[in-house]
Structure formats: C-alpha cells, structure tokens
Amino acid sequence: MANNGANELLLSQSLDPAAPKAKRQLNKRRFLRSRSAPRAPELVPPETNDYVSIPRSEPIFGNLHPSFKKVAICLSVYLGVGAVIFYLVGKQIKGQKTNGVLDAVYFTIVTMTTVGYGDLVPNSDLTKLLACAFVFSGMALVGLILSKAADYFVEKQEILLVKAMHLRQKIGPTEILKEVEVNKTRYKFFLVFSLLLVLIIAGTIFLVNVEKLEIIDALYCVCSTITTLGYGDKSFSTQAGRIFAVFWILTGTITLAQVFFYIAELNTENRQKELVEWVLTKKVTILDLEAADLDEDGTVGAAEFIIYKLKEMGKISQEDISLVMREFEQLDVDQSGTLSISDIYLAQPS
Amino acid sequence: MANNGANELLLSQSLDPAAPKAKRQLNKRRFLRSRSAPRAPELVPPETNDYVSIPRSEPIFGNLHPSFKKVAICLSVYLGVGAVIFYLVGKQIKGQKTNGVLDAVYFTIVTMTTVGYGDLVPNSDLTKLLACAFVFSGMALVGLILSKAADYFVEKQEILLVKAMHLRQKIGPTEILKEVEVNKTRYKFFLVFSLLLVLIIAGTIFLVNVEKLEIIDALYCVCSTITTLGYGDKSFSTQAGRIFAVFWILTGTITLAQVFFYIAELNTENRQKELVEWVLTKKVTILDLEAADLDEDGTVGAAEFIIYKLKEMGKISQEDISLVMREFEQLDVDQSGTLSISDIYLAQPS
C-alpha cells in the first residue's frame, strides 16, 4: 500500500517536473522505508563485509564461510600432496631425519612458509625442482590464507574478546557490535599481537624443554622461524619437536605477517581519518558550491554535497561518477533531471 | 565576474527555496567551471595519486618523490648500521667467510630479506639477539619498500614501456597516459614479471659461471633465494658472488613479492569490475527509487542516484554518507535542503 503511494507520488512528479519544491517538501517522508542499498550477494569481495557464517549441510567444513572453506581445502590438498610426494622421494632428501611421514609434512611446512631451515635439503635434481614448485605454490597459498582466512578468523574472535572485556559492564550485543565496528582494526591488531606473544612464549618454552636449547638459543630459533629467516643452525630435530613445529610454524609465520598487516592498516586508517577531518572542517567556499553543483541547476542539494565531499576525501573518483551518470541519463527518458517510475518503465521494458 | 553571477544566482535561490525548478533549469550552466574537487595536498595518502616528482634543490635524492626518498634514506641507514655492527662482531659469526665488510653487508641483506641461508650464522648470544633485531626491522623495511617505493618505481617505468610499445604508431602523450591509466595494473604486472624473468636468468647464469654450480643447482638456488626460502645448501660463497648477491637478492625478493601483489590486485580489480557491471546492468526497481531518495523529497536526482549506486558497488558506506550529511545540515542554515551562498556565510562567519 505504502508502495503504491510512492508510485503515484514519483509518477505525478515525473509528469510535472516544474512542480514547486515546497509541495514536494510537504509530501516527504510519506513512503520511505529502507535507506540501505542491497549488495550483490555473490559478487561482493569477501574481505569487505560478508563475514557471516552461512549454515550449510556439509559435514566437515559445515559452519565455515565459503572463502574460508576454500582456503581450508587448498591447504589440506597442498599438505596432503606434499606429504605423499616428499614421503615417496624421502631417500633423495638428506639431513636430520626422524619419521618418514612426519619429516615429509615438516619439510612441506618449512618449505611453504619459506622458513627453509636447511636441516632437511633436497639431494637430487627431482627433489630440487619439486622444492621450487612447492615453495612458489606455498607462497601463493600463504597469500591466500592471509587475504581470506586470517582476517575472517580474527574477526570472529574479536567479538568474543570485546564481550569478555566488557563482561562486568553488562553491555548489550548492539553496543558490543558498535564498539567492535568503530575500533575494528585496533582490536584485530591487539588480538593477533597477543596471539603472537603467546606463540613466541610457547615456542620458547617448548624449545627449551623438548629440544633442550638454551633460553637465548630458543628465543633466537623462535624469531628466526616466525620471520621465516630460518638460518637453520637451530631447528626442530626430535620427533616431538617436528610434530609441534608443523602447527606452530604455520600459525607463527601467518600471525606475524598479520601483525605487520594490521599495523599498515592502522597507519592507512589514521591517514584517512586525518584527510576526512580536513575535508569536513575546511571552509566551504563559493567555488566549492559551484564545483559541487552536479546537475548544474544552480543549487547544491544534500546528495551533490555528499558526492563533492567524498570526492575530496578520495573515496570516489570522477570516473566512478561518470559511469553511474551515464546510466542515469539512459534511465531518465523524459530528461527531467530526476528519475520517476514512468522513466524506469519506459527505459527498461520487461 | 562569472563568479559574481553565480553568487547572485545561489543567493536568490536560497532566499526563495520554492522557486520553480523550470526557472532554475534555464539558468543552468551559467557559472560552471571546474567539476573536480581539489584534494588536500599534504594529507593525501602517497600511494594513491601523487606520483609526481617534485623538483627540489637537494643534491643526492634530488628528483625523487618524498616517500621514495624516505625509503632510500631508511635503507641506506639500515644497511650502513648493519654493515658496521656485523663487521665489528665479525668474529662472533661463523661460516664461510670472504671479506670482512662484504660479509657484513651480505649477512645484513640475507637477514633483512629473511632469505637466511645459514652459510653465515651468529655464534654468540650478542649476535643472535642482533640478528633477531635486524630481521624484525628488516621485515618492516621491506614492507615499507613494497608499500611505498616499489610501486612508485614501476609506475615511472610503465610510461616508458607503453611509449616504447607504441613507438611506431606515433601516438601522443595524452593517449599514452590514457592507455596506461585504463590498464594500469596489467602493465605494472607485465613489467615486474619481465623484470623477474630477467633476474632469474641473470642469477642462474651468474651462479653457473662464477659460483660454478650445475644448471639445476643454480636454478634451485635462484628459486630458493627469491622466495626467501634459503635452505642454504647452495649459496654465494665467493667474493664476487657476494657482491652480486647484495644487489641481486634485494631486487629479486622484492620483485617476486611485487609480482604476487599485482596478481592479487588484478584479481580484486576484476571482481570489482564484475560488481560494478552487475550494479550498472541490473534493473532499477521502484524499491530502488525509494531507497535512493536521500533528501526524501519524492524524486531521485542524478546525485542521489549516483550515491545509491556507488553504495551498491561498495565504494562508499552509510557511515561516509552520514558523516558528510551532518556537515551539510550544519551548513544549511535556512534548512531549505540546498546550500546557497547566504547559508555558507551564515554558517561560517569569518
């Protein structure tokens, strides 16, 4: 019903473009419902806003986000193939060995993360070329984890963290979501930084107790590993050490990379905030008004002002505007400068 | 003069908000000049649009972009400090040695890029902790090079490349700039990918001829180096080799990282293009018109349509819009729904 009213309103105005603005003002707010534009469900880049777990019926990766699922499958396949191949060519790999399968997985992890200790090294042309193939694909895979899965994972934990931090204040879920939204990157940074510290401490304790390293050597091995430096003079040589290493190296290297990533993001956000601040506080001049008058009707409406300011902030470009403007002109059949229902019916015959 | 005309026009309309639109339409295009919003000169993030070399009078980094200069200074300081420190503690580093200073620089480069062959390793608590400090700061520095200098460098070469490619067609500088603009990332990718191939071939030839490696071993060492894997079973052991390595490792690792970066960027751009395509070709419905009517006056103007579509494309958010809307409401003193000169004079007394 409200919808029909809107139709009539838009229709009548489109037929009478010279209708006085005062009358239109009176009619305003009559049919308004949703202000938010829907997004294309399958086309939205996963890193922007769709970290919502979609319930599915699949058994293994059931409650996971599609792109996270993709990463998990890629990682499993990569490690599986790596384990089988390097197990089969195990005799062509020289160095400190423990258990055949374990060494193959450990070698795959050390290679894909580019740690490359050198405690196990390829010893034939075949294994050397295999190592080259695995390091390139491993780098791509780590990039995929960093761009898709890591951020998603942190995002999920973030809400739990903020909830836990405000447990005593008894704030509602809406406030928590708002708090998370405003300081998103800051929370994410603290979260991965804390995880990094835990991993560093856990790694050091493990190396001291299981691999029997001195404390400085253990810390040095930890730093050399998570940064993927991997000189290789200190590494995991026992069976227990390598089981630990398989999980610890992958999480450690990715967590450190993520810490660096969030630092860069915080920097960019701060610069962006400064720019927004500058754009919003600087004086609006007559020249600004002239330049902002997009439809060239001699006045600057709210929407025109918003476009002008967002352009100043660098959020949108002239190209973006021109692109949509062309669609607008095609839709505006009666060339009234505004879109009405009759316009869209005439422009898009179904 | 034209400016005064504009003032009068905007003023008269602000005093008479109910002036018929038809009259305003007649006046349109009378005072229009520039459609482009100026940007804050010093606040714009350097990676977005200011790759213009600013002529300065300084002697060394004279014609370079400020952020590039900053990176060059950081790198020089880092390498200088690394060379001095590791030269002084040279006796506490064990492994294959050539020349004191050269080994110190080589060790610094192998550490900062996280290649970490292990052909030279710290042999005391002091050098181990120093290596930890250098690998963390080195990673940050490589990140800085990747985010600021590398792209700037590629951007500069890109124009030369397009010029060279179209040398026979005799196209003007405007066409070259346009061609570069449209396929920016594609050209950048081809450029760094070609550079990577050159570096791989040069490295292999060098290792075969100077370090006397077999061809497969040379290629394996090249791959293991540029990916920062650095098992260390094959590395640069001669004096000539290490001089070459100092330059080659830094360029090689950064070029490969840049190749991965541009691949990711091309992917994002393609997804973004698909989304834009989807938003621009999908049918505009009555619900869209309702939601797009930002000033709630019952009609959808060009600017409102642009905002709605850019929001659908994910380029701007509701938060961005609300932020500017607040400023608009403060400036719109007479609450006419449009900004006029009298509004901005009243809202911003100077």
Side-chain angles (χ1 to χ4, degrees), chain B residues 108-265:
Chain B
T108 312
I109 290 277
V110 168
T111 302
M112 81 170 280
T113 55
T114 78
V115 169
Y117 289 126
D119 51 354
L120 289 175
V121 287
N123 199 26
S124 68
D125 286 353
L126 173 68
T127 44
K128 280 171 189 172
L129 293 176
L130 276 173
C132 291
F134 268 84
V135 70
F136 279 111
S137 48
M139 274 180 95
L141 183 54
V142 170
L144 197 72
I145 295 173
L146 282 169
S147 76
K148 306 240 167 176
D151 195 63
Y152 160 77
F153 214 75
V154 174
E155 193 111 357
K156 284 217 137 183
Q157 306 311 311
E158 190 184 39
I159 294 167
L160 289 178
L161 177 82
V162 179
K163 261 187 194 159
M165 281 171 70
H166 296 90
L167 207 60
R168 291 194 181 179
Q169 294 167 39
K170 283 192 182 168
I171 60 170
T174 324
E175 280 92 345
I176 288 175
L177 281 173
K178 211 181 156 186
E179 170 71 15
V180 170
E181 195 57 45
V182 174
N183 291 305
K184 220 176 187 50
T185 317
R186 195 176 299 266
Y187 274 114
K188 284 184 189 172
F189 169 74
F190 284 129
L191 210 63
V192 287
F193 190 74
S194 316
L195 178 61
L196 185 68
L197 288 182
V198 170
L199 286 169
I200 288 176
I201 294 167
T204 311
I205 293 173
F206 186 91
L207 284 165
V208 167
N209 288 303
V210 180
E211 295 279 336
K212 308 291 175 205
L213 295 186
E214 296 285 312
I215 181 96
I216 294 280
D217 282 349
L219 198 66
Y220 160 74
C221 178
V222 164
C223 290
S224 139
T225 305
I226 57 172
T227 58
T228 80
L229 180 57
Y231 290 128
D233 50 342
K234 306 286 171 201
S235 63
F236 296 86
S237 55
T238 65
Q239 199 159 332
R242 288 194 177 171
I243 293 173
F244 175 80
V246 163
F247 299 97
W248 182 81
I249 292 176
L250 195 59
T251 26
T253 50
I254 285 171
T255 305
L256 180 64
Q258 204 67 11
V259 166
F260 276 111
F261 174 78
Y262 287 139
I263 291 175
E265 205 166 73

Side-chain angles (χ1 to χ4, degrees), chain A residues 3 7 10 13 28 32 35 40 111 128 217 231 271 278 284 290 293 296 298-300 311 339 348, chain B residues 3 10 13 28 32 35 40 47 111 128 217 231 278 284 286 290 293 296 298-300 311 339 348:
Chain A
N3 202 11
N7 294 5
L10 285 161
Q13 274 160 14
K28 89 178 189 183
L32 244 36
R35 218 109 283 264
T111 302
K128 280 171 189 170
D217 281 349
Y231 290 129
R271 262 210 315 259
W278 180 82
V284 176
E290 287 178 24
D293 184 23
E296 304 170 6
T299 60
V300 174
K311 215 166 111 186
L339 287 191
Q348 312 170 119
Chain B
N3 203 9
L10 286 161
Q13 274 160 11
K28 87 179 193 183
L32 245 36
R35 218 111 281 263
E47 55 269 34
T111 302
K128 280 171 189 172
D217 282 349
Y231 290 128
W278 180 82
V284 176
I286 295 158
E290 287 178 23
D293 184 22
E296 306 171 4
T299 59
V300 174
K311 217 166 111 187
L339 287 190
Q348 313 171 117

Side-chain angles (χ1 to χ4, degrees), chain B residues 263-310:
Chain B
I263 291 175
E265 205 166 73
L266 276 175
N267 264 327
T268 310
E269 271 183 18
N270 284 340
R271 262 210 316 258
Q272 184 64 33
K273 264 184 202 158
E274 273 176 35
L275 180 62
V276 167
E277 190 72 12
W278 180 82
V279 168
L280 286 182
T281 50
K282 85 184 176 76
K283 227 178 145 176
V284 176
T285 65
I286 295 158
L287 290 175
D288 287 325
L289 286 191
E290 287 178 23
D293 184 22
L294 195 83
D295 61 3
E296 306 171 4
D297 67 349
T299 59
V300 174
E304 287 172 328
F305 187 72
I306 290 168
I307 289 178
Y308 183 71
K309 285 286 175 181
L310 292 181

Side-chain angles (χ1 to χ4, degrees), chain B residues 73-115:
Chain B
I73 293 170
C74 286
L75 184 62
S76 312
V77 169
Y78 179 90
L79 290 178
V81 172
V84 170
I85 288 183
F86 290 116
Y87 177 72
L88 292 175
V89 297
K91 288 211 172 120
Q92 296 169 46
I93 292 175
K94 68 174 177 187
Q96 280 184 309
K97 301 213 177 168
T98 62
N99 169 289
V101 180
L102 180 59
D103 285 352
V105 178
Y106 173 74
F107 182 74
T108 312
I109 290 277
V110 168
T111 302
M112 81 170 280
T113 55
T114 78
V115 169

